Amino acid sequence: MTNGIEHTPGPWQAEGQKVIKPGGMVHIASTYEGSPEANARLIAAAPELLEALEGLARPCVFIEACGLCGLCDANAVIAKARGKKENRDAD
């Protein structure tokens, strides 16, 4: 993996209730519960959503993360996707 990316790099594509990496034989996920096709579309968009969010996110305007604003939420979700500790709580 490159650039610190631990997941299978995108783009991913939804095909019915399956999520695949186009052009290859890489199966990312299959969905079965609720709305499987809608869930597959959301999962397929994940790499692009993460990249877009990382492009918009920046540190909280407070010296210590407040844990309450949209910036803190965005940074916590990015950390979760990267397998790092989420820190939404103010000290």
Side-chain angles (χ1 to χ4, degrees), residues 21-69:
K21 182 162 176 63
M25 300 298 290
V26 179
H27 177 259
I28 305 297
S30 293
T31 60
Y32 301 101
E33 299 294 324
S35 302
E37 290 182 3
N39 292 340
R41 289 191 302 271
L42 181 60
I43 293 166
E48 294 160 283
L49 289 168
L50 177 59
E51 183 177 342
L53 188 58
E54 287 176 325
L56 295 171
R58 59 189 183 282
C60 180
V61 296
F62 297 101
I63 292 172
E64 294 291 328
C66 71
L68 304 172
C69 70

Side-chain angles (χ1 to χ4, degrees), residues 50 54 73-87:
L50 177 59
E54 287 176 325
D73 290 344
N75 290 321
V77 170
I78 292 168
K80 182 178 180 180
R82 295 284 182 209
K84 299 177 182 172
K85 182 179 182 289
E86 294 181 64
N87 186 10

Side-chain angles (χ1 to χ4, degrees), residues 11-28:
W12 297 350
Q13 177 179 324
E15 287 190 354
Q17 65 189 49
K18 293 181 181 180
V19 181
I20 63 163
K21 182 162 176 63
M25 300 298 290
V26 179
H27 177 259
I28 305 297

